[in-house]
Amino acid sequence: MSPVRKKRFYMVLLLLTGVSIATFLIIQAFSQNMMFFFSTTEVKQGKAPADRDFRLGGLVVNHSVQRESGSLKVHFELTDSQTPVKVEYSGILPDLFREGQGIIAKGRLNDQGVFVAKEVLAKHDENYMPPEVADSINKAQLASSEPVQP
C-alpha cells in the first residue's frame, strides 16, 4: 500500500470512529433524558419503572390535598377516574393547581409506592387538559364501563 493510500485509509478509519462515538453519545443522552407518561392505573399495575423518573398524570382527587404546616410539603392523590395514587411534593405548587383539575407530575415512586414529585405542572386555562391525562381518563372510563346488553 502506498503512503498516500495508507494515510487516506487512516483518515477514513479515524472519521468512522469519530462518527461512531458521536452517535453512541447522542443515543445515550436521548435514552437518559427520555421520560415516559403513565396513568395512575398503570402505576398501580406495576407498569411504571421503579428505577427512573417518569410523568404521572391525572385529576387531583377532591379533599385529598394536605399541606404540612411549617413546610412546603404537600400530599395529595391523583386519579384517572379509576385508581388513585398518593403523591408527595415539596415546593411551591403552580397557581392553577386545585382539586378536581388535571395535572402532570414528574418524579419517581418510593419504596412505599408513593409518587415523589420533583415538578408539578398544572393546566394553563379552564378548557385545557394535557392530552396524556385526557387519554388515560378516557381509557379508564371505557375499561370500567360495562357492556350494554340489548
Side-chain angles (χ1 to χ4, degrees), residues 81-141:
S81 300
Q82 188 174 6
T83 310
V85 171
K86 291 182 181 184
V87 178
E88 179 181 299
Y89 177 67
S90 183
I92 298 173
L93 289 168
D95 291 338
L96 297 173
F97 177 89
R98 59 184 168 264
E99 295 175 345
Q101 297 298 316
I103 67 159
I104 293 179
K106 296 178 182 180
R108 66 174 57 191
L109 289 173
N110 66 11
D111 296 334
Q112 293 79 33
V114 176
F115 185 80
V116 180
K118 296 177 182 173
E119 184 179 7
V120 174
L121 306 171
K123 64 182 193 147
H124 58 77
D125 71 19
E126 291 183 16
N127 300 320
Y128 177 76
M129 181 175 292
E132 297 94 342
V133 174
D135 289 344
S136 67
I137 290 171
N138 289 338
K139 286 179 187 176
Q141 288 175 345

Side-chain angles (χ1 to χ4, degrees), residues 20-34 52:
S20 298
I21 291 172
T23 303
F24 173 76
L25 292 174
I26 290 170
I27 290 172
Q28 284 296 106
F30 278 134
S31 67
Q32 289 176 358
N33 291 326
M34 193 176 299
R52 65 183 297 175

Side-chain angles (χ1 to χ4, degrees), residues 38-48 54-56 85 109 113 115:
F38 291 92
S39 68
T40 57
T41 300
E42 292 171 329
V43 169
K44 284 293 187 178
Q45 292 172 349
K47 294 180 181 178
F54 61 93
R55 294 183 302 156
L56 174 67
V85 171
L109 289 173
F115 185 80

